[in-house]
């Protein structure tokens, strides 16, 4: 098994990988679009190859002006392999070592986007388990779970219970409040 960063020549093969598990993943269109913007890069895109066939990939993302990747956005290993976690751990370890050798000041985060109620879905639980084992084996041991809440206009505003009120406001007001609470 060979773990390596990609080259320009690998771009289409990497983009063609399809993840069919119930976890968030990066599709070809987003990958190629953000590649053009420098948010995914050859040296941040790592693959596991077996006899020239891509059997795993890790897509590390960063800002356009980042010197190093900020987060792991997508981790996939071919489900036909006997130990996906072992292959993924090797892939992650190789990438993290290369990032550290290149001067990355801190270890990138690993973002895993999951559907609502994922703990009640055996396929989602299995998808998380092998990824978690791989991340832990590679040294990504700090876990934080965040809930992503989304409001859409079609559901209307919730009724006020007195402590919290909801009202339309311009973007500038949101930014002013967000800046106030994000200090430090």
């Amino acid at each position: 098994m060979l773990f390596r960063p990609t080259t320009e020549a690998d771009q289409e093969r990497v983009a063609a990988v399809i993840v069919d598990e119930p976890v968030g993943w990066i599709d070809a269109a987003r990958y190629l679009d953000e590649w053009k913007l420098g948010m995914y890069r050859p040296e941040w895109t790592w693959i596991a190859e077996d006899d020239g066939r891509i059997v795993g990939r890790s897509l590390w993302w960063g800002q356009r002006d980042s010197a190093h990747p900020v987060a792991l956005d997508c981790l996939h290993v071919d489900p036909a392999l006997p130990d996906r976690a072992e292959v993924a751990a090797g892939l992650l370890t190789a990438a993290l070592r290369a990032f550290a050798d290149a001067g990355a000041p801190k270890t990138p985060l690993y973002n895993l986007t999951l559907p609502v109620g994922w703990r009640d879905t055996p396929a989602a639980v299995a998808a998380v388990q092998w990824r978690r084992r791989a991340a832990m084996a590679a040294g990504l041991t700090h876990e934080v779970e965040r809930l992503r809440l989304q409001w859409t206009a079609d559901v209307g505003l919730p009724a006020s219970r007195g402590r919290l009120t909801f009202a339309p406001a311009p973007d500038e007001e949101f930014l002013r409040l967000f800046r106030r609470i994000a200090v430090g």
Side-chain angles (χ1 to χ4, degrees):
M1 186 82 51
L2 173 66
F3 302 113
R4 68 173 179 86
T6 60
T7 65
E8 295 278 340
D10 297 312
Q11 184 185 39
E12 291 298 324
R13 290 188 323 138
V14 170
V17 173
I18 295 175
V19 178
D20 61 355
E21 294 173 288
V23 297
W25 63 286
I26 308 306
D27 65 24
R30 177 177 166 195
Y31 177 71
L32 295 171
D33 287 347
E34 292 190 19
W35 173 290
K36 290 175 192 166
L37 298 173
M39 298 158 93
Y40 292 113
R41 301 179 192 167
E43 66 273 19
W44 296 353
T45 301
W46 279 70
I47 56 175
E49 281 185 312
D50 190 20
D51 290 328
R53 184 175 71 89
I54 295 177
V55 295
R57 74 174 189 175
S58 61
L59 307 180
W60 303 81
W61 179 92
Q63 300 280 342
R64 293 176 195 204
D65 60 351
S66 294
H68 307 285
V70 174
L72 172 61
D73 269 357
C74 184
L75 176 63
H76 176 71
V77 173
D78 186 333
L81 295 181
D83 191 345
R84 296 170 85 183
E86 182 180 335
V87 172
L91 184 61
L92 296 177
T93 299
L96 290 170
R97 187 177 306 121
F99 301 151
D101 290 349
K106 61 183 181 177
T107 303
L109 303 172
Y110 176 17
N111 295 322
L112 184 58
T113 304
L114 301 164
V116 173
W118 70 270
R119 287 182 176 88
D120 299 324
T121 307
V125 170
V128 169
Q129 284 177 336
W130 72 260
R131 286 173 172 88
R132 179 178 279 147
R133 283 194 319 271
M136 293 287 181
L140 298 172
T141 58
H142 183 73
E143 288 189 27
V144 175
E145 185 169 336
R146 292 184 179 95
L147 299 177
R148 183 181 299 183
L149 305 175
Q150 182 176 348
W151 174 82
T152 58
D154 60 307
V155 298
L157 295 175
S160 174
R161 295 185 179 156
R163 291 182 49 180
L164 182 64
T165 59
F166 298 90
D171 289 346
E172 294 76 27
E173 178 69 8
F174 170 80
L175 288 172
R176 185 185 66 75
L177 291 171
F178 190 77
R179 285 185 183 115
R180 216 170 99 202
I181 64 167
V183 171

